Amino acid sequence: MQYLATLNPEQRAAVVAPIGPMLVRAGAGSGKTRVLTLRIAYLIEHYQVSPSNILALTFTNKAAKEMRTRLKSLLGNKVRGLTTGTFHAVCAKLLRAEIGGRLGHYTGDFTIYAADEQLQIASQALDAATERPPILLEPEELLRHISRAKSQMRTPQVAARFARTPQDAFIAACYRRYQRALEKANALDFDDLIVLTHQLLIEHPDVLEQYQQKWQHILVDEYQDTDSSQYALIELLSRPTANRPRSLCAVGDGMQAIYGFRNADHTIIARFQQDFPQAQVIELATNYRSRQSILDAAYAIIRHSRAVTPMELRAASPARPGERNLMIFDAKDARDEAAQIARNINDLVRQGRRYRDFAVLYRTRHMSRNFEAALRHARIPYSIRGGVGFYDRSVVRDTLAYLRVINNPADNLSLSRIANVPARGLGAQSISTLSTWAAQRGMPLSEALNHPEALSLLSPKAASGARQLASLLARWRQLNQGTYPPDHLVSDVLERSGYMEALSQRLTPDELPDARSHLQELVVAAEEHSTLSEFLQEIALLTSSDTEDDERDQVQLLTIHASKGLEWPIVFVAGLEEGTLPHERSLTTQEGIEEERRLCYVALTRAAERLYLSWAAGRVRGTQARQSRFISEIEAYGRERLAKR
């Protein structure tokens, strides 16, 4: 275990700690992933824990992959059997194995619906309402209410029982219809993966005992980002039994809790010692990323927090003589701010910097417009993180809809998408007729495609198209039941469906090559998997960070939320005005201000060598903005430090 010698005292204490509940408060850039990885290695090597008895939970597939890679380089095949992955990926795998016959009508070949599919189901739930809505409710807002309810472990029945207002009652009724539609389609949304896993374990003690015995040691990364349902799952799986103590290692940083809008509950990490009284708490306060003046600026902001306990970080690397690490500048308006940033980038590039050394961070997506214009004008290459992802492209989504129907015949939503793609006479009216007929008989839409009674309701052309599609689906399902590789299946679908031929007629000569290359890339992606179900699950559980590894020499433009977990030598944080950062929506509540404070802290700690903070006096035309309180706090802290010297 030579790796122990490479650790600082705090890191070493976390790695070699006795088995039991432990919270590692890991400040930004303190090497938390390394510590978590080495803790797993130490459990295996020192405590002789079998890797198959270890579960490591992360919030991105990228983090899980990095952990597995590091462990394999340390221990080789000794890590075989270790379970690592995101909460959603681990729960999806468990449900695939155990849900059949145990929870409702679900089977193990369920579909995981992404945001678009969830919106369609939410829209249908609103359209089917017989209750009079107290206020106009958009599908997006309904989904937010449903997601919050699920994160708090509230079923539709519980939501209805505790409805305090007519609006609450209406939302609960829509939630009930939404959930019924999911179950009917043998489909789950992201929140269901956690909630139904917890429900399954509670209702079936034998299954709970099986997984408690399997995962005797649980480690959780980014613990500050957990919500109530994830906490409940962790607590349940890690409960001490007659044969084992509670072995739970949570690593996180309350100062970086910025996902309240995703239902994350920052109080969970704050009450760790209350929830687990025997817990050991270790702080990692040495930062290996940023210069001390950058860390001081971040501390100047977070020290005013009332919601989290601030930690003052120490820079491992001293500043170089004469080096300026923190710059604050103002601008007349948003265009002037963007132009100044572009000039600074070009000046530094002329001094030997690469474009990929820079990131420009902002509070909301729409702010990117001025930065894009300024960078284009200055001939600076850039990319925007968080744009249209590969799996969100129309041709890819069409193909995936085919694959989902093959894998899950009850997936009416996916079938409706591709019923007439390419055109085969099955227009919207025909699909509506078939859907109504199937729903009245309690069968999936796919069964109606080849049913004589249903087809008699259609025109001859539509009936022919339905029979043709039914025949194709039958062929592909038969292939999928054998050992037919997923990549071959994708190719077969694209050719036999007529989709590729239709593309050449539908798209312009300029558009066609890109579409074909996207579909070829999908085939290549499928090559990496042995089953269609496995392939579809991986795609469904991808996060933005898993698909945005951009190594090109370009300046990165992104929101502060998207920057979490990333770092650059030089960072520009723009828009530090009252009403922008902190955002105007946060100014009415203390909790809102607290989250904005943590968000600003995250933004500042992305910078390694140089940090620029900017604000615009006239960001919105005709209005006068005030400098953000966060800049004022940094300047006040700087004066305090000078006075002490």
Side-chain angles (χ1 to χ4, degrees), residues 457-516:
L457 304 173
L458 306 181
S459 70
K461 184 179 179 181
S464 175
R467 281 191 289 269
Q468 178 194 7
L469 181 56
S471 175
L472 286 169
L473 289 172
R475 166 189 166 81
W476 293 324
R477 282 175 189 143
Q478 189 174 5
L479 289 175
N480 190 44
Q481 287 171 1
T483 57
Y484 205 63
D487 58 314
H488 291 196
L489 183 61
V490 175
S491 297
D492 198 89
V493 167
L494 290 171
E495 290 302 326
R496 290 185 179 266
S497 67
Y499 190 83
M500 291 299 290
E501 184 181 348
L503 274 185
S504 59
Q505 299 171 7
R506 192 180 88 201
L507 302 180
T508 68
D510 290 336
E511 296 170 329
L512 189 58
D514 278 348
R516 283 175 171 166

Short mmCIF file of all heavy atoms in Angstrom, two decimals, residues 457-516:
data_model
loop_
_atom_site.label_atom_id
_atom_site.label_comp_id
_atom_site.label_asym_id
_atom_site.label_seq_id
_atom_site.Cartn_x
_atom_site.Cartn_y
_atom_site.Cartn_z
N LEU A 457 -61.01 -0.95 -38.97
CA LEU A 457 -61.40 0.45 -38.72
C LEU A 457 -60.58 1.43 -39.55
O LEU A 457 -60.88 2.62 -39.58
CB LEU A 457 -61.23 0.79 -37.23
CG LEU A 457 -61.97 -0.11 -36.23
CD1 LEU A 457 -61.57 0.25 -34.80
CD2 LEU A 457 -63.48 0.05 -36.41
N LEU A 458 -59.54 0.92 -40.23
CA LEU A 458 -58.63 1.78 -40.97
C LEU A 458 -58.88 1.72 -42.47
O LEU A 458 -59.55 0.80 -42.97
CB LEU A 458 -57.17 1.36 -40.70
CG LEU A 458 -56.72 1.27 -39.24
CD1 LEU A 458 -55.24 0.86 -39.20
CD2 LEU A 458 -56.93 2.58 -38.51
N SER A 459 -58.31 2.69 -43.17
CA SER A 459 -58.33 2.65 -44.62
C SER A 459 -57.45 1.50 -45.10
O SER A 459 -56.57 1.04 -44.37
CB SER A 459 -57.81 3.97 -45.19
OG SER A 459 -56.41 4.10 -44.95
N PRO A 460 -57.67 1.01 -46.32
CA PRO A 460 -56.83 -0.08 -46.83
C PRO A 460 -55.34 0.25 -46.78
O PRO A 460 -54.52 -0.61 -46.44
CB PRO A 460 -57.32 -0.27 -48.27
CG PRO A 460 -58.73 0.22 -48.24
CD PRO A 460 -58.77 1.35 -47.26
N LYS A 461 -54.99 1.50 -47.11
CA LYS A 461 -53.59 1.89 -47.11
C LYS A 461 -53.02 1.85 -45.69
O LYS A 461 -51.91 1.35 -45.45
CB LYS A 461 -53.43 3.30 -47.70
CG LYS A 461 -51.97 3.74 -47.81
CD LYS A 461 -51.87 5.14 -48.42
CE LYS A 461 -50.40 5.58 -48.52
NZ LYS A 461 -50.28 6.96 -49.10
N ALA A 462 -53.76 2.40 -44.72
CA ALA A 462 -53.30 2.42 -43.33
C ALA A 462 -53.20 0.99 -42.78
O ALA A 462 -52.26 0.66 -42.04
CB ALA A 462 -54.23 3.26 -42.47
N ALA A 463 -54.19 0.15 -43.10
CA ALA A 463 -54.17 -1.23 -42.62
C ALA A 463 -52.95 -1.97 -43.18
O ALA A 463 -52.31 -2.75 -42.46
CB ALA A 463 -55.46 -1.94 -43.02
N SER A 464 -52.63 -1.72 -44.43
CA SER A 464 -51.45 -2.35 -45.03
C SER A 464 -50.17 -1.89 -44.33
O SER A 464 -49.28 -2.70 -44.05
CB SER A 464 -51.39 -2.01 -46.52
OG SER A 464 -50.20 -2.49 -47.11
N GLY A 465 -50.09 -0.58 -44.03
CA GLY A 465 -48.93 -0.04 -43.32
C GLY A 465 -48.79 -0.63 -41.93
O GLY A 465 -47.68 -0.92 -41.47
N ALA A 466 -49.93 -0.83 -41.26
CA ALA A 466 -49.91 -1.41 -39.90
C ALA A 466 -49.40 -2.85 -39.94
O ALA A 466 -48.59 -3.26 -39.11
CB ALA A 466 -51.31 -1.35 -39.29
N ARG A 467 -49.92 -3.63 -40.91
CA ARG A 467 -49.46 -5.02 -41.03
C ARG A 467 -47.97 -5.09 -41.36
O ARG A 467 -47.23 -5.94 -40.83
CB ARG A 467 -50.28 -5.75 -42.11
CG ARG A 467 -51.66 -6.19 -41.63
CD ARG A 467 -52.31 -7.13 -42.64
NE ARG A 467 -52.70 -6.43 -43.84
CZ ARG A 467 -53.91 -5.87 -44.04
NH1 ARG A 467 -54.85 -5.97 -43.12
NH2 ARG A 467 -54.17 -5.24 -45.18
N GLN A 468 -47.52 -4.20 -42.21
CA GLN A 468 -46.10 -4.15 -42.58
C GLN A 468 -45.24 -3.87 -41.35
O GLN A 468 -44.23 -4.55 -41.12
CB GLN A 468 -45.88 -3.08 -43.65
CG GLN A 468 -44.42 -2.92 -44.07
CD GLN A 468 -44.20 -1.63 -44.86
OE1 GLN A 468 -45.09 -0.79 -44.99
NE2 GLN A 468 -43.01 -1.45 -45.38
N LEU A 469 -45.63 -2.88 -40.56
CA LEU A 469 -44.87 -2.53 -39.36
C LEU A 469 -44.90 -3.67 -38.35
O LEU A 469 -43.88 -3.99 -37.72
CB LEU A 469 -45.44 -1.25 -38.75
CG LEU A 469 -44.73 -0.72 -37.49
CD1 LEU A 469 -43.23 -0.50 -37.75
CD2 LEU A 469 -45.38 0.57 -37.00
N ALA A 470 -46.07 -4.30 -38.17
CA ALA A 470 -46.18 -5.42 -37.24
C ALA A 470 -45.23 -6.55 -37.63
O ALA A 470 -44.59 -7.19 -36.78
CB ALA A 470 -47.62 -5.93 -37.19
N SER A 471 -45.14 -6.83 -38.95
CA SER A 471 -44.26 -7.88 -39.44
C SER A 471 -42.80 -7.55 -39.16
O SER A 471 -42.02 -8.42 -38.74
CB SER A 471 -44.48 -8.07 -40.94
OG SER A 471 -43.58 -8.99 -41.48
N LEU A 472 -42.42 -6.29 -39.37
CA LEU A 472 -41.05 -5.87 -39.11
C LEU A 472 -40.71 -6.00 -37.62
O LEU A 472 -39.64 -6.51 -37.25
CB LEU A 472 -40.84 -4.42 -39.57
CG LEU A 472 -40.75 -4.19 -41.08
CD1 LEU A 472 -40.83 -2.69 -41.39
CD2 LEU A 472 -39.46 -4.78 -41.64
N LEU A 473 -41.63 -5.55 -36.78
CA LEU A 473 -41.38 -5.62 -35.33
C LEU A 473 -41.25 -7.06 -34.87
O LEU A 473 -40.41 -7.38 -34.01
CB LEU A 473 -42.51 -4.91 -34.57
CG LEU A 473 -42.54 -3.37 -34.68
CD1 LEU A 473 -43.81 -2.81 -34.05
CD2 LEU A 473 -41.31 -2.75 -34.03
N ALA A 474 -42.08 -7.94 -35.42
CA ALA A 474 -42.00 -9.36 -35.07
C ALA A 474 -40.63 -9.93 -35.45
O ALA A 474 -40.02 -10.70 -34.70
CB ALA A 474 -43.12 -10.13 -35.76
N ARG A 475 -40.14 -9.54 -36.63
CA ARG A 475 -38.84 -10.01 -37.08
C ARG A 475 -37.74 -9.55 -36.11
O ARG A 475 -36.91 -10.34 -35.67
CB ARG A 475 -38.55 -9.48 -38.49
CG ARG A 475 -37.09 -9.61 -38.92
CD ARG A 475 -36.80 -8.87 -40.23
NE ARG A 475 -35.35 -8.73 -40.43
CZ ARG A 475 -34.57 -9.67 -40.92
NH1 ARG A 475 -35.08 -10.82 -41.24
NH2 ARG A 475 -33.27 -9.46 -41.06
N TRP A 476 -37.77 -8.25 -35.78
CA TRP A 476 -36.71 -7.70 -34.94
C TRP A 476 -36.75 -8.25 -33.52
O TRP A 476 -35.71 -8.46 -32.91
CB TRP A 476 -36.81 -6.17 -34.94
CG TRP A 476 -36.51 -5.56 -36.29
CD1 TRP A 476 -35.59 -6.00 -37.20
CD2 TRP A 476 -37.13 -4.42 -36.89
NE1 TRP A 476 -35.59 -5.19 -38.32
CE2 TRP A 476 -36.54 -4.21 -38.15
CE3 TRP A 476 -38.13 -3.54 -36.48
CZ2 TRP A 476 -36.91 -3.17 -39.01
CZ3 TRP A 476 -38.51 -2.51 -37.33
CH2 TRP A 476 -37.90 -2.34 -38.58
N ARG A 477 -37.97 -8.51 -33.02
CA ARG A 477 -38.07 -9.08 -31.67
C ARG A 477 -37.52 -10.50 -31.64
O ARG A 477 -36.88 -10.91 -30.67
CB ARG A 477 -39.52 -9.04 -31.20
CG ARG A 477 -39.94 -7.66 -30.73
CD ARG A 477 -41.40 -7.59 -30.37
NE ARG A 477 -41.79 -6.19 -30.15
CZ ARG A 477 -42.98 -5.69 -30.51
NH1 ARG A 477 -43.87 -6.45 -31.11
NH2 ARG A 477 -43.24 -4.42 -30.28
N GLN A 478 -37.75 -11.23 -32.70
CA GLN A 478 -37.21 -12.59 -32.79
C GLN A 478 -35.69 -12.55 -32.84
O GLN A 478 -35.02 -13.33 -32.16
CB GLN A 478 -37.76 -13.28 -34.04
CG GLN A 478 -37.42 -14.77 -34.09
CD GLN A 478 -38.10 -15.47 -35.26
OE1 GLN A 478 -38.76 -14.84 -36.08
NE2 GLN A 478 -37.96 -16.79 -35.34
N LEU A 479 -35.13 -11.63 -33.62
CA LEU A 479 -33.68 -11.48 -33.68
C LEU A 479 -33.13 -11.10 -32.31
O LEU A 479 -32.09 -11.58 -31.89
CB LEU A 479 -33.30 -10.41 -34.71
CG LEU A 479 -33.50 -10.75 -36.19
CD1 LEU A 479 -33.19 -9.53 -37.06
CD2 LEU A 479 -32.62 -11.92 -36.61
N ASN A 480 -33.85 -10.22 -31.61
CA ASN A 480 -33.39 -9.73 -30.32
C ASN A 480 -33.42 -10.80 -29.24
O ASN A 480 -32.69 -10.73 -28.26
CB ASN A 480 -34.23 -8.52 -29.89
CG ASN A 480 -33.66 -7.79 -28.68
OD1 ASN A 480 -32.46 -7.57 -28.61
ND2 ASN A 480 -34.51 -7.43 -27.74
N GLN A 481 -34.28 -11.79 -29.41
CA GLN A 481 -34.37 -12.87 -28.41
C GLN A 481 -33.21 -13.85 -28.50
O GLN A 481 -32.93 -14.60 -27.57
CB GLN A 481 -35.69 -13.63 -28.58
CG GLN A 481 -36.90 -12.83 -28.10
CD GLN A 481 -38.21 -13.47 -28.46
OE1 GLN A 481 -38.25 -14.55 -29.06
NE2 GLN A 481 -39.31 -12.82 -28.09
N GLY A 482 -32.53 -13.85 -29.62
CA GLY A 482 -31.39 -14.74 -29.80
C GLY A 482 -30.09 -14.05 -29.44
O GLY A 482 -30.02 -13.26 -28.51
N THR A 483 -29.06 -14.36 -30.19
CA THR A 483 -27.74 -13.80 -29.91
C THR A 483 -27.35 -12.75 -30.94
O THR A 483 -26.18 -12.47 -31.13
CB THR A 483 -26.68 -14.93 -29.90
OG1 THR A 483 -26.73 -15.63 -31.16
CG2 THR A 483 -26.95 -15.90 -28.75
N TYR A 484 -28.35 -12.20 -31.63
CA TYR A 484 -28.09 -11.20 -32.65
C TYR A 484 -27.48 -9.95 -32.02
O TYR A 484 -28.08 -9.36 -31.12
CB TYR A 484 -29.40 -10.85 -33.36
CG TYR A 484 -29.23 -10.33 -34.77
CD1 TYR A 484 -28.68 -11.12 -35.76
CD2 TYR A 484 -29.65 -9.05 -35.11
CE1 TYR A 484 -28.55 -10.66 -37.07
CE2 TYR A 484 -29.53 -8.57 -36.40
CZ TYR A 484 -28.97 -9.37 -37.38
OH TYR A 484 -28.83 -8.90 -38.67
N PRO A 485 -26.30 -9.51 -32.44
CA PRO A 485 -25.65 -8.36 -31.80
C PRO A 485 -26.45 -7.08 -31.96
O PRO A 485 -27.07 -6.85 -33.01
CB PRO A 485 -24.31 -8.26 -32.54
CG PRO A 485 -24.12 -9.58 -33.22
CD PRO A 485 -25.49 -10.09 -33.53
N PRO A 486 -26.46 -6.21 -30.96
CA PRO A 486 -27.23 -4.96 -31.04
C PRO A 486 -26.85 -4.08 -32.23
O PRO A 486 -27.73 -3.45 -32.83
CB PRO A 486 -26.90 -4.26 -29.71
CG PRO A 486 -26.52 -5.35 -28.78
CD PRO A 486 -25.84 -6.39 -29.63
N ASP A 487 -25.57 -4.01 -32.58
CA ASP A 487 -25.18 -3.16 -33.71
C ASP A 487 -25.75 -3.68 -35.02
O ASP A 487 -26.18 -2.90 -35.88
CB ASP A 487 -23.66 -3.02 -33.79
CG ASP A 487 -22.95 -4.35 -33.93
OD1 ASP A 487 -23.30 -5.27 -33.17
OD2 ASP A 487 -22.03 -4.48 -34.77
N HIS A 488 -25.81 -5.02 -35.19
CA HIS A 488 -26.42 -5.60 -36.38
C HIS A 488 -27.92 -5.31 -36.41
O HIS A 488 -28.50 -5.05 -37.47
CB HIS A 488 -26.20 -7.12 -36.42
CG HIS A 488 -24.77 -7.49 -36.66
ND1 HIS A 488 -24.36 -8.75 -37.06
CD2 HIS A 488 -23.62 -6.77 -36.56
CE1 HIS A 488 -23.05 -8.78 -37.19
NE2 HIS A 488 -22.58 -7.59 -36.89
N LEU A 489 -28.54 -5.33 -35.23
CA LEU A 489 -29.97 -5.05 -35.14
C LEU A 489 -30.25 -3.60 -35.55
O LEU A 489 -31.20 -3.33 -36.29
CB LEU A 489 -30.47 -5.31 -33.73
CG LEU A 489 -31.98 -5.13 -33.49
CD1 LEU A 489 -32.78 -6.10 -34.37
CD2 LEU A 489 -32.32 -5.36 -32.01
N VAL A 490 -29.44 -2.66 -35.08
CA VAL A 490 -29.61 -1.26 -35.45
C VAL A 490 -29.51 -1.10 -36.97
O VAL A 490 -30.35 -0.42 -37.59
CB VAL A 490 -28.56 -0.36 -34.75
CG1 VAL A 490 -28.68 1.08 -35.24
CG2 VAL A 490 -28.72 -0.41 -33.24
N SER A 491 -28.51 -1.71 -37.56
CA SER A 491 -28.33 -1.63 -39.02
C SER A 491 -29.54 -2.22 -39.76
O SER A 491 -30.01 -1.65 -40.75
CB SER A 491 -27.06 -2.36 -39.44
OG SER A 491 -25.92 -1.75 -38.87
N ASP A 492 -30.04 -3.34 -39.25
CA ASP A 492 -31.19 -3.99 -39.88
C ASP A 492 -32.42 -3.09 -39.80
O ASP A 492 -33.18 -2.97 -40.77
CB ASP A 492 -31.46 -5.33 -39.19
CG ASP A 492 -32.34 -6.25 -40.03
OD1 ASP A 492 -31.78 -7.00 -40.84
OD2 ASP A 492 -33.57 -6.20 -39.90
N VAL A 493 -32.64 -2.47 -38.66
CA VAL A 493 -33.77 -1.56 -38.48
C VAL A 493 -33.69 -0.40 -39.47
O VAL A 493 -34.67 -0.04 -40.13
CB VAL A 493 -33.82 -1.04 -37.03
CG1 VAL A 493 -34.78 0.16 -36.92
CG2 VAL A 493 -34.24 -2.13 -36.07
N LEU A 494 -32.53 0.20 -39.59
CA LEU A 494 -32.36 1.36 -40.46
C LEU A 494 -32.62 1.02 -41.93
O LEU A 494 -33.20 1.82 -42.67
CB LEU A 494 -30.96 1.94 -40.29
CG LEU A 494 -30.69 2.64 -38.95
CD1 LEU A 494 -29.21 2.97 -38.81
CD2 LEU A 494 -31.53 3.89 -38.79
N GLU A 495 -32.21 -0.17 -42.33
CA GLU A 495 -32.37 -0.56 -43.73
C GLU A 495 -33.77 -1.09 -44.02
O GLU A 495 -34.46 -0.63 -44.93
CB GLU A 495 -31.32 -1.62 -44.11
CG GLU A 495 -29.91 -1.08 -44.17
CD GLU A 495 -29.75 0.07 -45.16
OE1 GLU A 495 -30.43 0.05 -46.22
OE2 GLU A 495 -28.95 1.00 -44.87
N ARG A 496 -34.24 -2.09 -43.27
CA ARG A 496 -35.52 -2.74 -43.57
C ARG A 496 -36.73 -1.85 -43.29
O ARG A 496 -37.78 -2.01 -43.91
CB ARG A 496 -35.64 -4.05 -42.80
CG ARG A 496 -34.69 -5.14 -43.31
CD ARG A 496 -34.91 -6.44 -42.61
NE ARG A 496 -34.02 -7.47 -43.12
CZ ARG A 496 -34.33 -8.33 -44.09
NH1 ARG A 496 -35.54 -8.28 -44.67
NH2 ARG A 496 -33.46 -9.24 -44.50
N SER A 497 -36.57 -0.91 -42.38
CA SER A 497 -37.69 0.01 -42.11
C SER A 497 -37.88 1.00 -43.25
O SER A 497 -38.95 1.63 -43.36
CB SER A 497 -37.44 0.78 -40.81
OG SER A 497 -36.32 1.65 -40.95
N GLY A 498 -36.84 1.18 -44.06
CA GLY A 498 -36.88 2.18 -45.11
C GLY A 498 -36.45 3.57 -44.63
O GLY A 498 -36.53 4.55 -45.36
N TYR A 499 -35.97 3.61 -43.38
CA TYR A 499 -35.62 4.91 -42.79
C TYR A 499 -34.46 5.58 -43.55
O TYR A 499 -34.51 6.78 -43.84
CB TYR A 499 -35.26 4.74 -41.31
CG TYR A 499 -35.11 6.05 -40.57
CD1 TYR A 499 -36.23 6.71 -40.09
CD2 TYR A 499 -33.87 6.63 -40.35
CE1 TYR A 499 -36.11 7.91 -39.40
CE2 TYR A 499 -33.74 7.83 -39.68
CZ TYR A 499 -34.87 8.46 -39.21
OH TYR A 499 -34.75 9.67 -38.54
N MET A 500 -33.41 4.80 -43.85
CA MET A 500 -32.26 5.38 -44.54
C MET A 500 -32.64 5.91 -45.92
O MET A 500 -32.21 7.00 -46.32
CB MET A 500 -31.15 4.33 -44.68
CG MET A 500 -30.49 3.96 -43.35
SD MET A 500 -29.68 5.35 -42.52
CE MET A 500 -28.30 5.62 -43.59
N GLU A 501 -33.46 5.14 -46.63
CA GLU A 501 -33.88 5.58 -47.96
C GLU A 501 -34.72 6.86 -47.88
O GLU A 501 -34.55 7.78 -48.67
CB GLU A 501 -34.68 4.47 -48.64
CG GLU A 501 -35.08 4.79 -50.08
CD GLU A 501 -35.88 3.67 -50.70
OE1 GLU A 501 -35.94 2.56 -50.12
OE2 GLU A 501 -36.47 3.91 -51.79
N ALA A 502 -35.60 6.91 -46.88
CA ALA A 502 -36.46 8.09 -46.71
C ALA A 502 -35.65 9.34 -46.36
O ALA A 502 -35.99 10.44 -46.77
CB ALA A 502 -37.50 7.82 -45.62
N LEU A 503 -34.55 9.14 -45.61
CA LEU A 503 -33.70 10.28 -45.25
C LEU A 503 -33.16 10.97 -46.49
O LEU A 503 -33.12 12.20 -46.57
CB LEU A 503 -32.53 9.82 -44.38
CG LEU A 503 -32.73 9.72 -42.87
CD1 LEU A 503 -31.40 9.37 -42.20
CD2 LEU A 503 -33.30 10.99 -42.29
N SER A 504 -32.72 10.17 -47.47
CA SER A 504 -32.13 10.75 -48.68
C SER A 504 -33.13 11.57 -49.47
O SER A 504 -32.77 12.46 -50.23
CB SER A 504 -31.54 9.64 -49.55
OG SER A 504 -32.51 8.72 -49.92
N GLN A 505 -34.42 11.29 -49.29
CA GLN A 505 -35.46 12.05 -49.98
C GLN A 505 -35.91 13.26 -49.15
O GLN A 505 -36.32 14.28 -49.70
CB GLN A 505 -36.66 11.15 -50.27
CG GLN A 505 -36.32 9.97 -51.18
CD GLN A 505 -37.45 8.97 -51.29
OE1 GLN A 505 -38.56 9.20 -50.78
NE2 GLN A 505 -37.20 7.84 -51.94
N ARG A 506 -35.79 13.13 -47.81
CA ARG A 506 -36.31 14.17 -46.91
C ARG A 506 -35.31 15.30 -46.66
O ARG A 506 -35.70 16.47 -46.51
CB ARG A 506 -36.70 13.53 -45.58
CG ARG A 506 -37.51 14.41 -44.66
CD ARG A 506 -37.84 13.65 -43.40
NE ARG A 506 -36.82 13.78 -42.38
CZ ARG A 506 -36.62 12.96 -41.37
NH1 ARG A 506 -37.36 11.89 -41.25
NH2 ARG A 506 -35.68 13.17 -40.48
N LEU A 507 -34.03 14.96 -46.61
CA LEU A 507 -33.01 15.94 -46.24
C LEU A 507 -32.34 16.54 -47.47
O LEU A 507 -32.31 15.94 -48.54
CB LEU A 507 -31.95 15.30 -45.33
CG LEU A 507 -32.46 14.69 -44.02
CD1 LEU A 507 -31.29 14.10 -43.24
CD2 LEU A 507 -33.20 15.72 -43.18
N THR A 508 -31.77 17.72 -47.29
CA THR A 508 -31.02 18.37 -48.36
C THR A 508 -29.65 17.70 -48.49
O THR A 508 -29.18 17.03 -47.56
CB THR A 508 -30.83 19.86 -48.05
OG1 THR A 508 -29.94 20.00 -46.92
CG2 THR A 508 -32.15 20.55 -47.75
N PRO A 509 -29.00 17.88 -49.64
CA PRO A 509 -27.65 17.32 -49.80
C PRO A 509 -26.67 17.77 -48.73
O PRO A 509 -25.71 17.05 -48.42
CB PRO A 509 -27.24 17.81 -51.19
CG PRO A 509 -28.54 18.00 -51.92
CD PRO A 509 -29.50 18.50 -50.89
N ASP A 510 -26.88 18.97 -48.17
CA ASP A 510 -26.00 19.46 -47.11
C ASP A 510 -26.27 18.78 -45.78
O ASP A 510 -25.36 18.57 -44.97
CB ASP A 510 -26.15 20.98 -46.94
CG ASP A 510 -25.59 21.76 -48.12
OD1 ASP A 510 -24.70 21.21 -48.82
OD2 ASP A 510 -26.04 22.90 -48.34
N GLU A 511 -27.53 18.42 -45.54
CA GLU A 511 -27.93 17.82 -44.26
C GLU A 511 -27.67 16.32 -44.20
O GLU A 511 -27.41 15.76 -43.13
CB GLU A 511 -29.42 18.08 -43.99
CG GLU A 511 -29.80 19.55 -43.82
CD GLU A 511 -31.30 19.76 -43.81
OE1 GLU A 511 -32.03 18.97 -44.48
OE2 GLU A 511 -31.76 20.71 -43.15
N LEU A 512 -27.77 15.65 -45.34
CA LEU A 512 -27.73 14.18 -45.38
C LEU A 512 -26.44 13.58 -44.82
O LEU A 512 -26.51 12.62 -44.03
CB LEU A 512 -27.99 13.70 -46.80
CG LEU A 512 -28.19 12.19 -46.98
CD1 LEU A 512 -29.36 11.69 -46.13
CD2 LEU A 512 -28.41 11.87 -48.47
N PRO A 513 -25.26 14.09 -45.19
CA PRO A 513 -24.03 13.46 -44.67
C PRO A 513 -23.95 13.46 -43.14
O PRO A 513 -23.52 12.46 -42.54
CB PRO A 513 -22.91 14.31 -45.28
CG PRO A 513 -23.52 14.89 -46.52
CD PRO A 513 -24.95 15.15 -46.17
N ASP A 514 -24.37 14.57 -42.51
CA ASP A 514 -24.35 14.63 -41.05
C ASP A 514 -25.29 13.59 -40.44
O ASP A 514 -24.95 12.90 -39.47
CB ASP A 514 -24.75 16.03 -40.56
CG ASP A 514 -23.59 17.00 -40.59
OD1 ASP A 514 -22.44 16.55 -40.77
OD2 ASP A 514 -23.83 18.21 -40.42
N ALA A 515 -26.49 13.49 -41.02
CA ALA A 515 -27.47 12.52 -40.50
C ALA A 515 -26.94 11.10 -40.61
O ALA A 515 -27.06 10.29 -39.67
CB ALA A 515 -28.78 12.66 -41.26
N ARG A 516 -26.34 10.78 -41.75
CA ARG A 516 -25.78 9.44 -41.93
C ARG A 516 -24.64 9.16 -40.97
O ARG A 516 -24.54 8.05 -40.42
CB ARG A 516 -25.30 9.28 -43.38
CG ARG A 516 -26.44 9.04 -44.38
CD ARG A 516 -25.91 9.01 -45.80
NE ARG A 516 -26.96 8.57 -46.73
CZ ARG A 516 -26.86 8.70 -48.05
NH1 ARG A 516 -25.79 9.28 -48.59
NH2 ARG A 516 -27.85 8.28 -48.83
#
